[in-house]
Amino acid sequence: MLILALDTATDKGSLALMADEELLAESSLESAGTYLQRLLPGVEALLQAARRRLPEVGAIAVSIGPGNFTGLRIGLATAKGLAYALGCPLIPVPTLEALAAQFPYHPDPIGVLMDAKRGEVFFARFRCPEAQPQTIEGPVRLAVNLLPSQVAPPLLLTGPGLNAHEDFLKNSLPPEIQWAPLESRHPRAANVARLGRLYLAAGLTAAPARLTPTYLRPAL
């Protein structure tokens, strides 16, 4: 099964193509402001790099948020259009779950943070004893100044919210809490594809007409 994955939940979007368990190709889509112009050409370039054709794609996996409102809308609209055109399954993948999936077999709980603007964050906590994260709590939206009272070691923190609130968090969180490396704090389409494969096997697909992004807050 060839799975095409799209992630446009943050300003560091990406695309990936996976055949069964093998990642064939992955590419970056920097800057949320250019997704409308770059997403479909990016899909075409990705397929060319992998020497595959669009009709070979058997499923579309898409990151559904929370995250950047415009990016999520563009990504989901593109994924829906491709799924309709190809007549293939559409697989929604929660963005925070895709972030946690970057740390399979990790012994400690994984806390995932995304910036929600206005001094707030999106937060969820997972265990990841295998490839697929297991939700402990969340996702929720809360004021960033409440986060220190919600977390305690042992814990690995990841997500772009660490970058957005770095100064406050470094001064407010217990030093025993681990921070993910910078390069592991943004979602990757490769993980969206891997989770998409697991969700597809479990029958967790969505009707394109009914699928909406996960915003967790009203539009700003």
Side-chain angles (χ1 to χ4, degrees):
M1 168 73 73
L2 193 64
I3 296 179
L4 172 65
L6 295 75
D7 176 75
T8 55
T10 71
D11 59 352
K12 295 183 181 293
S14 57
L15 302 168
L17 195 65
M18 177 168 283
D20 297 322
E21 297 185 8
E22 180 185 2
L23 179 64
L24 300 180
E26 186 176 23
S27 61
S28 173
L29 291 169
E30 294 286 340
S31 179
T34 63
Y35 289 158
L36 191 60
Q37 293 78 29
R38 297 182 60 194
L39 196 50
L40 283 175
V43 169
E44 183 178 356
L46 185 78
L47 288 163
Q48 288 179 351
R51 298 183 180 180
R52 297 298 185 106
R53 298 171 55 251
L54 186 59
E56 296 178 64
V57 172
I60 307 291
V62 61
S63 179
I64 60 165
N68 177 282
F69 280 36
T70 301
L72 289 172
R73 285 194 289 264
I74 293 171
L76 193 52
T78 302
K80 287 181 177 183
L82 289 170
Y84 272 127
L86 295 169
C88 69
L90 178 63
I91 313 162
V93 177
T95 304
L96 299 181
E97 205 161 314
L99 276 159
Q102 298 194 71
F103 303 93
Y105 309 104
H106 198 280
D108 298 330
I110 299 165
V112 182
L113 287 175
M114 293 187 72
D115 186 26
K117 309 299 183 185
R118 296 184 176 179
E120 295 182 327
V121 292
F122 303 122
F123 176 70
R125 192 181 347 232
F126 302 88
R127 292 192 183 278
C128 206
E130 297 182 353
Q132 184 173 347
Q134 302 169 0
T135 303
I136 299 174
E137 63 172 315
V140 296
R141 187 182 93 242
L142 74 163
V144 68
N145 60 10
L146 297 179
L147 187 67
S149 65
Q150 307 294 313
V151 298
L155 184 70
L156 171 68
L157 280 179
T158 190
L162 286 177
N163 302 345
H165 301 282
E166 181 173 5
D167 291 342
F168 169 76
L169 295 174
K170 281 194 171 178
N171 291 324
S172 305
L173 296 179
E176 296 83 6
I177 290 180
Q178 305 172 67
W179 286 44
L182 282 169
E183 64 272 14
S184 301
R185 295 182 191 173
H186 277 81
R188 284 184 56 194
N191 291 307
V192 174
R194 289 192 178 97
L195 289 179
R197 178 176 169 272
L198 296 174
Y199 298 161
L200 180 63
L204 300 177
T205 61
R210 297 182 179 180
L211 185 60
T212 59
T214 300
Y215 290 134
L216 293 186
R217 76 170 308 151
L220 297 177

